[in-house]
Amino acid sequence: MDLNKTYQEKVYSGVLGKVIGVYLGRPFEQWSHQLIMEKLGPIQYYVSKKLNKPLIVTDDDITGTFTFLRALKDYGYNYDISSEKIGQTWLNYIIEKETILWWGGVGNSTEHTAFQNLKNGISAPQSGSIETNGSLIAEQIGAQIFIDGWAMVCPGDPEKASNLAARAAKVSHDGEAVYGAQVIASIEALAFVESDIDKLINTAKGLIPNNSNIYKLINDVQDWHYKDRDWLITREKIEAKYGYDKYPGECHIVPNHALIILGLLYGDGDFQKSMMIVNTSGWDTDCNAANLGCIIGIRNGLKAFEGGQKWREPVNDIMYCPTANGGETITDAVRESYKIINIAKKLQGQNELKPKNSARYHFEMPGSVQGWLTKNKDQIKLTNVNEYSDLGERSLEIEFNNLTNKSDNEIFVSTFFPDELRELKGEAKKTFFYYNFLCCPIVYSGQVIEAFISGDPNNKVPVKLKLFVKTYGENDKLETYFSDLKVLNSNEKMKLEWKLMIKNCDPIVQIGIKIFPEDYISGKLYLDYLKIKGNPKTVFRRPDHVPIFERGKVYDISPAEMWRNSWVKATDHWENRFKQSFRITNNKKRGMIITGTSEWKDYTVSSKLNFFLAESGGIAARVQGLERYYGLELTRFKKLRLIKMLDGLKILKEVDFDFEFNKNFLFSLSVKNNIISGKVNEKFKIDYTDMSDPLDCGGIGLVVESGTLFTNEIIVN
């Protein structure tokens, strides 16, 4: 299939179908059909409010799907990528007991079992094999729920999608679970070019063994669909022959795969009807609805979500993917769609798409808002429109009515831990934080915000506006910083640039635009794009407004903690009760804390470090996860070394150094193009030119191996 706009929009609608399915089915995940009918009735729309749960959540179905696919980018865009490399991607992005997976215990959770195997040196595909784990563990549902991205990079090619899906699935699963994953991937790949549901299903089942249980159940559901003509009757037959009592474990592939086929056949290609059937049927509702939602999204394109219920509006494109690369946690359906599109392009030897010169927010997908919102929905409306763009085709229309200086005149997007999440309580809080929300800001002090805005020709008066950012300041209350005031005339176009200078390095949680009316004002503005440019120039330390911990002291308002939460903690200990800002401990092997984003490229990170006890430790740059970064380290064996973590530790260069515990050492690590340069105490220098698979971007970190190190500040410039 040509990777044209039709393909691109189908990817976007597939991503939307996936996340809508998760958000729709998650509140009653693993409920039986009978309980759903008793408590909720047929599922026609989101029920999160009824159950006092948040709609938009972190979820393994989303995070795993869009994280594991990064293996294709990380390992050079190769259709023949091995299960072993995909397994290495697990080790890079997953923080044990924190991110992505259900940490239900070895021998209970399939993914936890596979991860432990990988960690213990059992490479994929053995990590997920029946030989290693037994058929019960190997044939649960996880391979199927993580599979959609592999299909979307193979549009129109179900065989290729099936092969990729099998290699990805075998990291953690085997047997029937792999066949189920292959079927879903094949259907999705073919759905880019084929709408006939019978052809989709028959082609996909033809790519797996005809003596498998998945093949047989598909035949059964097809036969029952032909004879019954009532999804409720067919659902009863599925429960009788393929129910949870026949396939033990926490969440077996076979029963849930049957419900996806049920929803696909009886849904007649209609998103609303398909979602109603698969969710009302029960069992693993978020997983099943997500796979089916992706299928229908790809098949129908964006029209899948038109008419009837407003599926897209409550979601607002918002997604969260918390991993060890915390700068990618805050994301949206458009951003993840273009990652998939560009992987597909690179796989085919084509140039990547970089909408509006790689703007973070560009709104180039129809209907997209990329997480932008307003709290003043009565007077401000945000709509994606097909006009008012100099660099593309679309923009975000900001329509405002009767604004005064007393109304809430802000539109904004979250760039870090959204403020409303801190207000969650009870069941809502429990639901959202079931999977930990590890996150770094996507914008930092010293970077530049660039925005391009147009005024509507029909505006009666000029519009006064400012860019703004909000930070978590004293006691984690929001503090606002404004750019200079600009006046935008009717039909005028304006590019705004603003270099951020944030005190205390308080983490930035919002970027936005505020309108400053002198009187009642109505009109329209058009945000063409907003871009975050450059590397940061900032100091990370305990903010001045945060007191050093003192035993026995009680505060009326708790001191700020979000400055610490802006780092991903992948180490055994980093507590707030020590006088040092950063005092980290890892009991065994390597641990680290990480901040920054994948957009950082050439910069210097420096810090004065002290070691109580450690095998090694230091600072890291271009961090892309736990297994991908450069480091400048000292070792207890009196060595200074430049290292590269890439599927294991590689010592790039090493020299003798008179190292002592409990002594300060000034570290400085610079990355520019493929030249890696380190200094300690300004006079001991070591450098290396990396010509083999160089890491070209990423954030910063502190690293410690089997011990403790500390510092009060970390400087990036």
Side-chain angles (χ1 to χ4, degrees), residues 22-73:
V22 169
Y23 298 158
L24 178 60
R26 174 70 183 280
F28 46 91
E29 180 183 9
Q30 295 299 344
W31 287 24
S32 67
H33 166 71
Q34 293 77 14
L35 184 61
I36 290 170
M37 291 299 292
E38 177 187 342
K39 299 290 187 181
L40 300 170
I43 305 299
Q44 303 290 354
Y45 195 54
Y46 303 115
V47 298
S48 51
K49 288 184 178 178
K50 184 181 293 187
L51 297 175
N52 191 29
K53 296 183 178 182
L55 174 65
I56 300 170
V57 293
T58 55
D59 191 88
D60 57 339
D61 300 52
I62 292 174
T63 306
T65 298
F66 297 98
T67 297
F68 301 149
L69 187 66
R70 297 175 192 172
L72 287 169
K73 179 177 184 292

Side-chain angles (χ1 to χ4, degrees), residues 410-462:
E410 297 177 349
I411 69 153
F412 63 93
V413 67
S414 293
T415 56
F416 177 47
F417 199 116
D419 184 49
E420 63 268 20
L421 298 184
R422 301 189 306 130
E423 306 302 319
L424 296 177
K425 300 184 186 305
E427 187 63 30
K429 183 176 181 179
K430 178 182 176 183
T431 298
F432 186 89
F433 291 103
Y434 182 84
Y435 297 98
N436 202 358
F437 191 66
L438 302 181
C439 181
C440 302
I442 65 172
V443 59
Y444 293 76
S445 186
Q447 292 188 288
V448 174
I449 296 175
E450 178 186 309
F452 196 86
I453 305 175
S454 300
D456 191 276
N458 297 315
N459 287 349
K460 302 298 184 184
V461 296

